[in-house]
PDB file of all heavy atoms in Angstrom:
ATOM      1  N   VAL A 131       0.826  -1.229  -0.036  1.00 68.00           N
ATOM      2  CA  VAL A 131      -0.030  -0.064   0.011  1.00 68.00           C
ATOM      3  C   VAL A 131       0.879   1.284   0.017  1.00 68.00           C
ATOM      4  O   VAL A 131       1.875   1.342   0.857  1.00 68.00           O
ATOM      5  CB  VAL A 131      -0.950   0.037   1.224  1.00 68.00           C
ATOM      6  CG1 VAL A 131      -1.715   1.328   1.291  1.00 68.00           C
ATOM      7  CG2 VAL A 131      -1.850  -1.226   1.262  1.00 68.00           C
ATOM      8  N   VAL A 132       0.627   2.220  -0.883  1.00 67.00           N
ATOM      9  CA  VAL A 132       1.255   3.544  -0.925  1.00 67.00           C
ATOM     10  C   VAL A 132       0.337   4.499  -0.305  1.00 67.00           C
ATOM     11  O   VAL A 132      -0.725   4.795  -0.845  1.00 67.00           O
ATOM     12  CB  VAL A 132       1.616   3.855  -2.370  1.00 67.00           C
ATOM     13  CG1 VAL A 132       2.205   5.271  -2.389  1.00 67.00           C
ATOM     14  CG2 VAL A 132       2.438   2.815  -3.064  1.00 67.00           C
ATOM     15  N   ASP A 133       0.676   4.958   0.924  1.00 73.00           N
ATOM     16  CA  ASP A 133      -0.123   5.908   1.679  1.00 73.00           C
ATOM     17  C   ASP A 133       0.108   7.329   1.179  1.00 73.00           C
ATOM     18  O   ASP A 133      -0.818   8.220   1.152  1.00 73.00           O
ATOM     19  CB  ASP A 133       0.074   5.819   3.205  1.00 73.00           C
ATOM     20  CG  ASP A 133      -0.471   4.564   3.803  1.00 73.00           C
ATOM     21  OD1 ASP A 133      -1.515   4.125   3.338  1.00 73.00           O
ATOM     22  OD2 ASP A 133       0.089   4.008   4.677  1.00 73.00           O
ATOM     23  N   PHE A 134       1.364   7.694   0.960  1.00 79.00           N
ATOM     24  CA  PHE A 134       1.743   9.035   0.601  1.00 79.00           C
ATOM     25  C   PHE A 134       2.188   9.135  -0.868  1.00 79.00           C
ATOM     26  O   PHE A 134       3.019   8.307  -1.266  1.00 79.00           O
ATOM     27  CB  PHE A 134       2.806   9.539   1.504  1.00 79.00           C
ATOM     28  CG  PHE A 134       2.343   9.680   3.009  1.00 79.00           C
ATOM     29  CD1 PHE A 134       2.679   8.631   3.902  1.00 79.00           C
ATOM     30  CD2 PHE A 134       1.523  10.687   3.390  1.00 79.00           C
ATOM     31  CE1 PHE A 134       2.236   8.759   5.193  1.00 79.00           C
ATOM     32  CE2 PHE A 134       1.086  10.784   4.666  1.00 79.00           C
ATOM     33  CZ  PHE A 134       1.470   9.709   5.581  1.00 79.00           C
ATOM     34  N   LEU A 135       1.627  10.107  -1.668  1.00 85.00           N
ATOM     35  CA  LEU A 135       2.020  10.128  -2.985  1.00 85.00           C
ATOM     36  C   LEU A 135       3.031  11.301  -3.215  1.00 85.00           C
ATOM     37  O   LEU A 135       2.990  12.323  -2.473  1.00 85.00           O
ATOM     38  CB  LEU A 135       0.753  10.501  -3.807  1.00 85.00           C
ATOM     39  CG  LEU A 135      -0.296   9.434  -3.647  1.00 85.00           C
ATOM     40  CD1 LEU A 135      -1.556   9.976  -4.379  1.00 85.00           C
ATOM     41  CD2 LEU A 135       0.065   8.129  -4.267  1.00 85.00           C
ATOM     42  N   PRO A 136       4.011  11.109  -4.159  1.00 89.00           N
ATOM     43  CA  PRO A 136       4.952  12.161  -4.348  1.00 89.00           C
ATOM     44  C   PRO A 136       4.327  13.392  -4.939  1.00 89.00           C
ATOM     45  O   PRO A 136       3.504  13.324  -5.878  1.00 89.00           O
ATOM     46  CB  PRO A 136       5.937  11.493  -5.339  1.00 89.00           C
ATOM     47  CG  PRO A 136       5.182  10.441  -6.014  1.00 89.00           C
ATOM     48  CD  PRO A 136       4.172   9.941  -5.054  1.00 89.00           C
ATOM     49  N   LYS A 137       4.762  14.524  -4.389  1.00 94.00           N
ATOM     50  CA  LYS A 137       4.305  15.790  -4.857  1.00 94.00           C
ATOM     51  C   LYS A 137       5.392  16.762  -4.828  1.00 94.00           C
ATOM     52  O   LYS A 137       6.471  16.498  -4.347  1.00 94.00           O
ATOM     53  CB  LYS A 137       3.177  16.412  -3.937  1.00 94.00           C
ATOM     54  CG  LYS A 137       1.863  15.545  -3.786  1.00 94.00           C
ATOM     55  CD  LYS A 137       1.084  15.605  -5.059  1.00 94.00           C
ATOM     56  CE  LYS A 137      -0.180  14.732  -4.903  1.00 94.00           C
ATOM     57  NZ  LYS A 137      -1.032  14.866  -5.974  1.00 94.00           N
ATOM     58  N   ILE A 138       5.229  17.943  -5.463  1.00 97.00           N
ATOM     59  CA  ILE A 138       6.229  19.024  -5.464  1.00 97.00           C
ATOM     60  C   ILE A 138       5.526  20.256  -4.708  1.00 97.00           C
ATOM     61  O   ILE A 138       4.396  20.614  -5.020  1.00 97.00           O
ATOM     62  CB  ILE A 138       6.583  19.493  -6.810  1.00 97.00           C
ATOM     63  CG1 ILE A 138       7.372  18.298  -7.583  1.00 97.00           C
ATOM     64  CG2 ILE A 138       7.394  20.728  -6.898  1.00 97.00           C
ATOM     65  CD1 ILE A 138       8.749  17.956  -6.948  1.00 97.00           C
ATOM     66  N   LYS A 139       6.340  20.839  -3.835  1.00 98.00           N
ATOM     67  CA  LYS A 139       5.851  22.075  -3.176  1.00 98.00           C
ATOM     68  C   LYS A 139       6.702  23.255  -3.730  1.00 98.00           C
ATOM     69  O   LYS A 139       7.924  23.216  -3.666  1.00 98.00           O
ATOM     70  CB  LYS A 139       6.091  21.959  -1.613  1.00 98.00           C
ATOM     71  CG  LYS A 139       5.635  23.168  -0.880  1.00 98.00           C
ATOM     72  CD  LYS A 139       5.860  22.919   0.599  1.00 98.00           C
ATOM     73  CE  LYS A 139       5.441  23.989   1.439  1.00 98.00           C
ATOM     74  NZ  LYS A 139       5.767  23.722   2.885  1.00 98.00           N
ATOM     75  N   ILE A 140       6.028  24.182  -4.237  1.00 98.00           N
ATOM     76  CA  ILE A 140       6.586  25.472  -4.795  1.00 98.00           C
ATOM     77  C   ILE A 140       6.294  26.529  -3.735  1.00 98.00           C
ATOM     78  O   ILE A 140       5.215  26.718  -3.358  1.00 98.00           O
ATOM     79  CB  ILE A 140       6.092  25.812  -6.115  1.00 98.00           C
ATOM     80  CG1 ILE A 140       6.365  24.746  -7.113  1.00 98.00           C
ATOM     81  CG2 ILE A 140       6.667  27.160  -6.576  1.00 98.00           C
ATOM     82  CD1 ILE A 140       5.656  24.856  -8.452  1.00 98.00           C
ATOM     83  N   GLU A 141       7.377  27.257  -3.428  1.00 98.00           N
ATOM     84  CA  GLU A 141       7.234  28.445  -2.481  1.00 98.00           C
ATOM     85  C   GLU A 141       7.774  29.782  -3.096  1.00 98.00           C
ATOM     86  O   GLU A 141       8.838  29.573  -3.654  1.00 98.00           O
ATOM     87  CB  GLU A 141       7.859  28.179  -1.115  1.00 98.00           C
ATOM     88  CG  GLU A 141       7.282  26.960  -0.388  1.00 98.00           C
ATOM     89  CD  GLU A 141       8.163  26.671   0.859  1.00 98.00           C
ATOM     90  OE1 GLU A 141       7.817  27.248   1.938  1.00 98.00           O
ATOM     91  OE2 GLU A 141       9.098  25.913   0.713  1.00 98.00           O
ATOM     92  N   LEU A 142       7.050  30.785  -2.987  1.00 96.00           N
ATOM     93  CA  LEU A 142       7.540  32.096  -3.432  1.00 96.00           C
ATOM     94  C   LEU A 142       6.914  33.202  -2.668  1.00 96.00           C
ATOM     95  O   LEU A 142       5.797  33.121  -2.188  1.00 96.00           O
ATOM     96  CB  LEU A 142       7.378  32.381  -4.873  1.00 96.00           C
ATOM     97  CG  LEU A 142       6.128  31.697  -5.587  1.00 96.00           C
ATOM     98  CD1 LEU A 142       5.068  32.735  -5.850  1.00 96.00           C
ATOM     99  CD2 LEU A 142       6.633  31.227  -6.938  1.00 96.00           C
ATOM    100  N   VAL A 143       7.676  34.210  -2.438  1.00 96.00           N
ATOM    101  CA  VAL A 143       7.191  35.430  -1.757  1.00 96.00           C
ATOM    102  C   VAL A 143       7.314  36.583  -2.770  1.00 96.00           C
ATOM    103  O   VAL A 143       8.286  36.778  -3.499  1.00 96.00           O
ATOM    104  CB  VAL A 143       8.109  35.789  -0.509  1.00 96.00           C
ATOM    105  CG1 VAL A 143       7.636  37.115   0.064  1.00 96.00           C
ATOM    106  CG2 VAL A 143       8.020  34.654   0.467  1.00 96.00           C
ATOM    107  N   ILE A 144       6.205  37.227  -2.948  1.00 95.00           N
ATOM    108  CA  ILE A 144       6.014  38.226  -4.033  1.00 95.00           C
ATOM    109  C   ILE A 144       5.207  39.528  -3.550  1.00 95.00           C
ATOM    110  O   ILE A 144       4.627  39.434  -2.520  1.00 95.00           O
ATOM    111  CB  ILE A 144       5.185  37.638  -5.195  1.00 95.00           C
ATOM    112  CG1 ILE A 144       3.849  37.163  -4.888  1.00 95.00           C
ATOM    113  CG2 ILE A 144       6.031  36.515  -5.900  1.00 95.00           C
ATOM    114  CD1 ILE A 144       2.967  36.634  -5.904  1.00 95.00           C
ATOM    115  N   ASN A 145       5.305  40.554  -4.356  1.00 93.00           N
ATOM    116  CA  ASN A 145       4.649  41.770  -4.035  1.00 93.00           C
ATOM    117  C   ASN A 145       3.155  41.486  -4.189  1.00 93.00           C
ATOM    118  O   ASN A 145       2.749  40.675  -5.082  1.00 93.00           O
ATOM    119  CB  ASN A 145       5.102  42.897  -5.024  1.00 93.00           C
ATOM    120  CG  ASN A 145       6.456  43.288  -4.758  1.00 93.00           C
ATOM    121  OD1 ASN A 145       6.958  43.314  -3.628  1.00 93.00           O
ATOM    122  ND2 ASN A 145       7.227  43.657  -5.758  1.00 93.00           N
ATOM    123  N   ASP A 146       2.268  42.197  -3.582  1.00 94.00           N
ATOM    124  CA  ASP A 146       0.845  42.039  -3.568  1.00 94.00           C
ATOM    125  C   ASP A 146       0.326  42.209  -4.985  1.00 94.00           C
ATOM    126  O   ASP A 146      -0.656  41.508  -5.398  1.00 94.00           O
ATOM    127  CB  ASP A 146       0.164  42.972  -2.659  1.00 94.00           C
ATOM    128  CG  ASP A 146       0.406  42.656  -1.200  1.00 94.00           C
ATOM    129  OD1 ASP A 146       0.606  41.485  -0.888  1.00 94.00           O
ATOM    130  OD2 ASP A 146       0.310  43.636  -0.352  1.00 94.00           O
ATOM    131  N   ASP A 147       0.930  43.050  -5.785  1.00 93.00           N
ATOM    132  CA  ASP A 147       0.330  43.286  -7.094  1.00 93.00           C
ATOM    133  C   ASP A 147       0.499  42.108  -8.045  1.00 93.00           C
ATOM    134  O   ASP A 147      -0.091  42.081  -9.123  1.00 93.00           O
ATOM    135  CB  ASP A 147       0.911  44.566  -7.762  1.00 93.00           C
ATOM    136  CG  ASP A 147       2.393  44.592  -7.805  1.00 93.00           C
ATOM    137  OD1 ASP A 147       3.124  43.825  -7.108  1.00 93.00           O
ATOM    138  OD2 ASP A 147       3.067  45.308  -8.662  1.00 93.00           O
ATOM    139  N   LEU A 148       1.376  41.162  -7.774  1.00 94.00           N
ATOM    140  CA  LEU A 148       1.563  39.993  -8.616  1.00 94.00           C
ATOM    141  C   LEU A 148       0.743  38.683  -8.250  1.00 94.00           C
ATOM    142  O   LEU A 148       0.737  37.770  -8.937  1.00 94.00           O
ATOM    143  CB  LEU A 148       3.005  39.607  -8.670  1.00 94.00           C
ATOM    144  CG  LEU A 148       3.971  40.563  -9.249  1.00 94.00           C
ATOM    145  CD1 LEU A 148       5.425  40.160  -9.019  1.00 94.00           C
ATOM    146  CD2 LEU A 148       3.692  40.678 -10.797  1.00 94.00           C
ATOM    147  N   VAL A 149       0.068  38.880  -7.102  1.00 96.00           N
ATOM    148  CA  VAL A 149      -0.520  37.644  -6.482  1.00 96.00           C
ATOM    149  C   VAL A 149      -1.494  36.984  -7.425  1.00 96.00           C
ATOM    150  O   VAL A 149      -1.411  35.737  -7.681  1.00 96.00           O
ATOM    151  CB  VAL A 149      -1.259  37.924  -5.098  1.00 96.00           C
ATOM    152  CG1 VAL A 149      -2.054  36.821  -4.695  1.00 96.00           C
ATOM    153  CG2 VAL A 149      -0.177  38.295  -4.085  1.00 96.00           C
ATOM    154  N   GLU A 150      -2.477  37.718  -7.999  1.00 97.00           N
ATOM    155  CA  GLU A 150      -3.510  37.050  -8.850  1.00 97.00           C
ATOM    156  C   GLU A 150      -2.913  36.518 -10.049  1.00 97.00           C
ATOM    157  O   GLU A 150      -3.367  35.449 -10.553  1.00 97.00           O
ATOM    158  CB  GLU A 150      -4.627  38.133  -9.170  1.00 97.00           C
ATOM    159  CG  GLU A 150      -5.492  38.452  -7.930  1.00 97.00           C
ATOM    160  CD  GLU A 150      -6.125  37.248  -7.214  1.00 97.00           C
ATOM    161  OE1 GLU A 150      -6.585  36.351  -7.950  1.00 97.00           O
ATOM    162  OE2 GLU A 150      -6.011  37.207  -5.953  1.00 97.00           O
ATOM    163  N   ARG A 151      -1.912  37.207 -10.619  1.00 97.00           N
ATOM    164  CA  ARG A 151      -1.353  36.748 -11.856  1.00 97.00           C
ATOM    165  C   ARG A 151      -0.575  35.409 -11.641  1.00 97.00           C
ATOM    166  O   ARG A 151      -0.624  34.528 -12.450  1.00 97.00           O
ATOM    167  CB  ARG A 151      -0.333  37.727 -12.418  1.00 97.00           C
ATOM    168  CG  ARG A 151       0.131  37.474 -13.809  1.00 97.00           C
ATOM    169  CD  ARG A 151       0.700  38.735 -14.373  1.00 97.00           C
ATOM    170  NE  ARG A 151       1.224  38.423 -15.740  1.00 97.00           N
ATOM    171  CZ  ARG A 151       2.149  39.117 -16.440  1.00 97.00           C
ATOM    172  NH1 ARG A 151       2.604  40.197 -15.834  1.00 97.00           N
ATOM    173  NH2 ARG A 151       2.474  38.772 -17.557  1.00 97.00           N
ATOM    174  N   VAL A 152       0.129  35.372 -10.477  1.00 97.00           N
ATOM    175  CA  VAL A 152       0.889  34.032 -10.131  1.00 97.00           C
ATOM    176  C   VAL A 152      -0.021  32.907  -9.916  1.00 97.00           C
ATOM    177  O   VAL A 152       0.083  31.773 -10.361  1.00 97.00           O
ATOM    178  CB  VAL A 152       1.816  34.267  -8.923  1.00 97.00           C
ATOM    179  CG1 VAL A 152       2.392  33.025  -8.430  1.00 97.00           C
ATOM    180  CG2 VAL A 152       2.857  35.263  -9.316  1.00 97.00           C
ATOM    181  N   ILE A 153      -1.178  33.197  -9.115  1.00 98.00           N
ATOM    182  CA  ILE A 153      -2.193  32.207  -8.864  1.00 98.00           C
ATOM    183  C   ILE A 153      -2.737  31.636 -10.161  1.00 98.00           C
ATOM    184  O   ILE A 153      -2.829  30.373 -10.300  1.00 98.00           O
ATOM    185  CB  ILE A 153      -3.216  32.712  -7.988  1.00 98.00           C
ATOM    186  CG1 ILE A 153      -2.732  32.941  -6.546  1.00 98.00           C
ATOM    187  CG2 ILE A 153      -4.476  31.796  -7.882  1.00 98.00           C
ATOM    188  CD1 ILE A 153      -3.623  33.701  -5.625  1.00 98.00           C
ATOM    189  N   GLU A 154      -3.133  32.524 -11.049  1.00 98.00           N
ATOM    190  CA  GLU A 154      -3.764  32.142 -12.311  1.00 98.00           C
ATOM    191  C   GLU A 154      -2.797  31.266 -13.126  1.00 98.00           C
ATOM    192  O   GLU A 154      -3.204  30.282 -13.743  1.00 98.00           O
ATOM    193  CB  GLU A 154      -4.209  33.425 -13.176  1.00 98.00           C
ATOM    194  CG  GLU A 154      -5.392  34.107 -12.589  1.00 98.00           C
ATOM    195  CD  GLU A 154      -5.703  35.399 -13.199  1.00 98.00           C
ATOM    196  OE1 GLU A 154      -5.083  35.568 -14.357  1.00 98.00           O
ATOM    197  OE2 GLU A 154      -6.491  36.104 -12.743  1.00 98.00           O
ATOM    198  N   THR A 155      -1.562  31.652 -13.117  1.00 98.00           N
ATOM    199  CA  THR A 155      -0.534  30.993 -13.875  1.00 98.00           C
ATOM    200  C   THR A 155      -0.325  29.575 -13.362  1.00 98.00           C
ATOM    201  O   THR A 155      -0.394  28.626 -14.094  1.00 98.00           O
ATOM    202  CB  THR A 155       0.839  31.775 -13.850  1.00 98.00           C
ATOM    203  OG1 THR A 155       0.643  33.067 -14.434  1.00 98.00           O
ATOM    204  CG2 THR A 155       1.918  31.007 -14.626  1.00 98.00           C
ATOM    205  N   ILE A 156      -0.187  29.451 -12.027  1.00 98.00           N
ATOM    206  CA  ILE A 156       0.042  28.122 -11.500  1.00 98.00           C
ATOM    207  C   ILE A 156      -1.169  27.350 -11.708  1.00 98.00           C
ATOM    208  O   ILE A 156      -1.067  26.017 -12.104  1.00 98.00           O
ATOM    209  CB  ILE A 156       0.347  28.199  -9.941  1.00 98.00           C
ATOM    210  CG1 ILE A 156       1.651  28.891  -9.778  1.00 98.00           C
ATOM    211  CG2 ILE A 156       0.398  26.842  -9.388  1.00 98.00           C
ATOM    212  CD1 ILE A 156       1.995  29.252  -8.317  1.00 98.00           C
ATOM    213  N   GLN A 157      -2.427  27.814 -11.474  1.00 97.00           N
ATOM    214  CA  GLN A 157      -3.593  27.069 -11.718  1.00 97.00           C
ATOM    215  C   GLN A 157      -3.807  26.533 -13.153  1.00 97.00           C
ATOM    216  O   GLN A 157      -4.148  25.447 -13.285  1.00 97.00           O
ATOM    217  CB  GLN A 157      -4.832  27.941 -11.279  1.00 97.00           C
ATOM    218  CG  GLN A 157      -6.078  27.223 -10.963  1.00 97.00           C
ATOM    219  CD  GLN A 157      -7.122  28.204 -10.367  1.00 97.00           C
ATOM    220  OE1 GLN A 157      -6.938  29.308 -10.362  1.00 97.00           O
ATOM    221  NE2 GLN A 157      -8.099  27.548  -9.778  1.00 97.00           N
ATOM    222  N   GLN A 158      -3.530  27.373 -14.065  1.00 97.00           N
ATOM    223  CA  GLN A 158      -3.670  27.028 -15.455  1.00 97.00           C
ATOM    224  C   GLN A 158      -2.609  25.925 -15.835  1.00 97.00           C
ATOM    225  O   GLN A 158      -3.059  25.031 -16.451  1.00 97.00           O
ATOM    226  CB  GLN A 158      -3.558  28.206 -16.393  1.00 97.00           C
ATOM    227  CG  GLN A 158      -4.805  29.143 -16.267  1.00 97.00           C
ATOM    228  CD  GLN A 158      -4.596  30.398 -17.142  1.00 97.00           C
ATOM    229  OE1 GLN A 158      -3.467  30.637 -17.774  1.00 97.00           O
ATOM    230  NE2 GLN A 158      -5.579  31.314 -17.006  1.00 97.00           N
ATOM    231  N   VAL A 159      -1.486  26.185 -15.472  1.00 97.00           N
ATOM    232  CA  VAL A 159      -0.356  25.247 -15.978  1.00 97.00           C
ATOM    233  C   VAL A 159      -0.427  23.958 -15.213  1.00 97.00           C
ATOM    234  O   VAL A 159      -0.101  22.892 -15.816  1.00 97.00           O
ATOM    235  CB  VAL A 159       1.000  26.015 -15.843  1.00 97.00           C
ATOM    236  CG1 VAL A 159       2.144  25.021 -16.324  1.00 97.00           C
ATOM    237  CG2 VAL A 159       1.028  27.130 -16.692  1.00 97.00           C
ATOM    238  N   ALA A 160      -0.739  23.935 -13.903  1.00 97.00           N
ATOM    239  CA  ALA A 160      -0.695  22.698 -13.126  1.00 97.00           C
ATOM    240  C   ALA A 160      -1.969  21.838 -13.295  1.00 97.00           C
ATOM    241  O   ALA A 160      -1.978  20.689 -12.995  1.00 97.00           O
ATOM    242  CB  ALA A 160      -0.446  23.008 -11.704  1.00 97.00           C
ATOM    243  N   HIS A 161      -2.932  22.422 -13.930  1.00 97.00           N
ATOM    244  CA  HIS A 161      -4.271  21.732 -14.020  1.00 97.00           C
ATOM    245  C   HIS A 161      -4.187  20.559 -15.003  1.00 97.00           C
ATOM    246  O   HIS A 161      -3.700  20.805 -16.157  1.00 97.00           O
ATOM    247  CB  HIS A 161      -5.293  22.755 -14.544  1.00 97.00           C
ATOM    248  CG  HIS A 161      -6.679  22.141 -14.647  1.00 97.00           C
ATOM    249  ND1 HIS A 161      -7.106  21.727 -15.998  1.00 97.00           N
ATOM    250  CD2 HIS A 161      -7.646  21.883 -13.802  1.00 97.00           C
ATOM    251  CE1 HIS A 161      -8.318  21.261 -15.834  1.00 97.00           C
ATOM    252  NE2 HIS A 161      -8.686  21.349 -14.574  1.00 97.00           N
ATOM    253  N   THR A 162      -4.659  19.365 -14.579  1.00 93.00           N
ATOM    254  CA  THR A 162      -4.816  18.234 -15.465  1.00 93.00           C
ATOM    255  C   THR A 162      -6.225  17.823 -15.553  1.00 93.00           C
ATOM    256  O   THR A 162      -6.627  17.061 -16.423  1.00 93.00           O
ATOM    257  CB  THR A 162      -4.007  17.056 -14.980  1.00 93.00           C
ATOM    258  OG1 THR A 162      -4.438  16.517 -13.805  1.00 93.00           O
ATOM    259  CG2 THR A 162      -2.487  17.441 -14.896  1.00 93.00           C
ATOM    260  N   GLY A 163      -6.964  18.212 -14.587  1.00 92.00           N
ATOM    261  CA  GLY A 163      -8.432  17.858 -14.514  1.00 92.00           C
ATOM    262  C   GLY A 163      -8.682  16.618 -13.838  1.00 92.00           C
ATOM    263  O   GLY A 163      -9.793  16.066 -13.724  1.00 92.00           O
ATOM    264  N   ARG A 164      -7.587  16.068 -13.199  1.00 88.00           N
ATOM    265  CA  ARG A 164      -7.746  14.734 -12.542  1.00 88.00           C
ATOM    266  C   ARG A 164      -7.561  14.963 -10.996  1.00 88.00           C
ATOM    267  O   ARG A 164      -6.864  16.033 -10.565  1.00 88.00           O
ATOM    268  CB  ARG A 164      -6.673  13.736 -12.996  1.00 88.00           C
ATOM    269  CG  ARG A 164      -6.864  13.464 -14.418  1.00 88.00           C
ATOM    270  CD  ARG A 164      -5.754  12.482 -14.908  1.00 88.00           C
ATOM    271  NE  ARG A 164      -6.342  11.637 -15.979  1.00 88.00           N
ATOM    272  CZ  ARG A 164      -6.527  10.431 -15.893  1.00 88.00           C
ATOM    273  NH1 ARG A 164      -6.022   9.732 -14.852  1.00 88.00           N
ATOM    274  NH2 ARG A 164      -7.069   9.769 -16.883  1.00 88.00           N
ATOM    275  N   ILE A 165      -8.061  14.116 -10.192  1.00 84.00           N
ATOM    276  CA  ILE A 165      -7.912  14.215  -8.771  1.00 84.00           C
ATOM    277  C   ILE A 165      -6.381  14.230  -8.407  1.00 84.00           C
ATOM    278  O   ILE A 165      -5.572  13.590  -9.009  1.00 84.00           O
ATOM    279  CB  ILE A 165      -8.599  13.132  -8.064  1.00 84.00           C
ATOM    280  CG1 ILE A 165      -8.799  13.463  -6.629  1.00 84.00           C
ATOM    281  CG2 ILE A 165      -7.944  11.808  -8.310  1.00 84.00           C
ATOM    282  CD1 ILE A 165      -9.775  12.571  -5.852  1.00 84.00           C
ATOM    283  N   GLY A 166      -6.014  15.120  -7.429  1.00 85.00           N
ATOM    284  CA  GLY A 166      -4.585  15.192  -7.052  1.00 85.00           C
ATOM    285  C   GLY A 166      -3.882  16.331  -7.771  1.00 85.00           C
ATOM    286  O   GLY A 166      -2.553  16.434  -7.646  1.00 85.00           O
ATOM    287  N   ASP A 167      -4.531  17.163  -8.500  1.00 91.00           N
ATOM    288  CA  ASP A 167      -3.830  18.278  -9.098  1.00 91.00           C
ATOM    289  C   ASP A 167      -3.048  19.209  -8.147  1.00 91.00           C
ATOM    290  O   ASP A 167      -2.153  19.796  -8.414  1.00 91.00           O
ATOM    291  CB  ASP A 167      -4.779  19.218  -9.927  1.00 91.00           C
ATOM    292  CG  ASP A 167      -5.010  18.582 -11.401  1.00 91.00           C
ATOM    293  OD1 ASP A 167      -4.302  17.714 -11.677  1.00 91.00           O
ATOM    294  OD2 ASP A 167      -5.870  19.120 -12.079  1.00 91.00           O
ATOM    295  N   GLY A 168      -3.641  19.281  -6.901  1.00 93.00           N
ATOM    296  CA  GLY A 168      -2.942  20.014  -5.900  1.00 93.00           C
ATOM    297  C   GLY A 168      -3.764  21.186  -5.331  1.00 93.00           C
ATOM    298  O   GLY A 168      -4.933  21.322  -5.545  1.00 93.00           O
ATOM    299  N   LYS A 169      -2.972  22.019  -4.598  1.00 96.00           N
ATOM    300  CA  LYS A 169      -3.613  23.200  -3.907  1.00 96.00           C
ATOM    301  C   LYS A 169      -2.658  24.321  -3.945  1.00 96.00           C
ATOM    302  O   LYS A 169      -1.498  24.199  -4.022  1.00 96.00           O
ATOM    303  CB  LYS A 169      -3.831  22.907  -2.422  1.00 96.00           C
ATOM    304  CG  LYS A 169      -4.763  21.731  -2.117  1.00 96.00           C
ATOM    305  CD  LYS A 169      -6.278  22.121  -2.122  1.00 96.00           C
ATOM    306  CE  LYS A 169      -7.130  21.026  -1.657  1.00 96.00           C
ATOM    307  NZ  LYS A 169      -7.497  20.026  -2.549  1.00 96.00           N
ATOM    308  N   ILE A 170      -3.229  25.572  -3.835  1.00 98.00           N
ATOM    309  CA  ILE A 170      -2.483  26.832  -3.720  1.00 98.00           C
ATOM    310  C   ILE A 170      -2.870  27.486  -2.383  1.00 98.00           C
ATOM    311  O   ILE A 170      -4.034  27.670  -2.182  1.00 98.00           O
ATOM    312  CB  ILE A 170      -2.696  27.732  -4.861  1.00 98.00           C
ATOM    313  CG1 ILE A 170      -2.333  27.008  -6.176  1.00 98.00           C
ATOM    314  CG2 ILE A 170      -1.932  29.070  -4.764  1.00 98.00           C
ATOM    315  CD1 ILE A 170      -2.732  27.867  -7.472  1.00 98.00           C
ATOM    316  N   PHE A 171      -1.841  27.854  -1.570  1.00 98.00           N
ATOM    317  CA  PHE A 171      -2.077  28.492  -0.329  1.00 98.00           C
ATOM    318  C   PHE A 171      -1.452  29.936  -0.383  1.00 98.00           C
ATOM    319  O   PHE A 171      -0.286  30.052  -0.870  1.00 98.00           O
ATOM    320  CB  PHE A 171      -1.480  27.756   0.887  1.00 98.00           C
ATOM    321  CG  PHE A 171      -1.937  26.368   0.893  1.00 98.00           C
ATOM    322  CD1 PHE A 171      -1.222  25.282   0.324  1.00 98.00           C
ATOM    323  CD2 PHE A 171      -3.177  26.054   1.610  1.00 98.00           C
ATOM    324  CE1 PHE A 171      -1.678  23.890   0.396  1.00 98.00           C
ATOM    325  CE2 PHE A 171      -3.609  24.745   1.653  1.00 98.00           C
ATOM    326  CZ  PHE A 171      -2.873  23.594   1.110  1.00 98.00           C
ATOM    327  N   VAL A 172      -2.186  30.914   0.088  1.00 98.00           N
ATOM    328  CA  VAL A 172      -1.711  32.320   0.051  1.00 98.00           C
ATOM    329  C   VAL A 172      -1.738  32.860   1.471  1.00 98.00           C
ATOM    330  O   VAL A 172      -2.801  32.858   2.104  1.00 98.00           O
ATOM    331  CB  VAL A 172      -2.448  33.220  -0.963  1.00 98.00           C
ATOM    332  CG1 VAL A 172      -1.969  34.603  -0.872  1.00 98.00           C
ATOM    333  CG2 VAL A 172      -2.585  32.656  -2.295  1.00 98.00           C
TER     334      VAL A 172
END
């Protein structure tokens, strides 16, 4: 049984004016439409 699946954690600190653009970029590019695509925390 594999309990934990391999993932990648990306961390970055940015100016407030870039937040929405960065979120949209990560969301669009990381999206596969399958379960386990991940989460974004701000």
Side-chain angles (χ1 to χ4, degrees):
V131 175
V132 177
D133 287 325
F134 298 100
L135 302 172
K137 300 287 182 178
I138 294 293
K139 180 178 179 182
I140 299 170
E141 298 174 88
L142 32 100
V143 176
I144 57 174
N145 293 326
D146 289 336
D147 58 336
L148 292 174
V149 172
E150 291 307 316
R151 192 164 179 201
V152 169
I153 290 171
E154 288 172 13
T155 299
I156 295 170
Q157 196 170 16
Q158 289 174 0
V159 177
H161 178 265
T162 67
R164 300 178 148 242
I165 195 165
D167 273 353
K169 301 277 189 278
I170 299 172
F171 305 95
V172 181

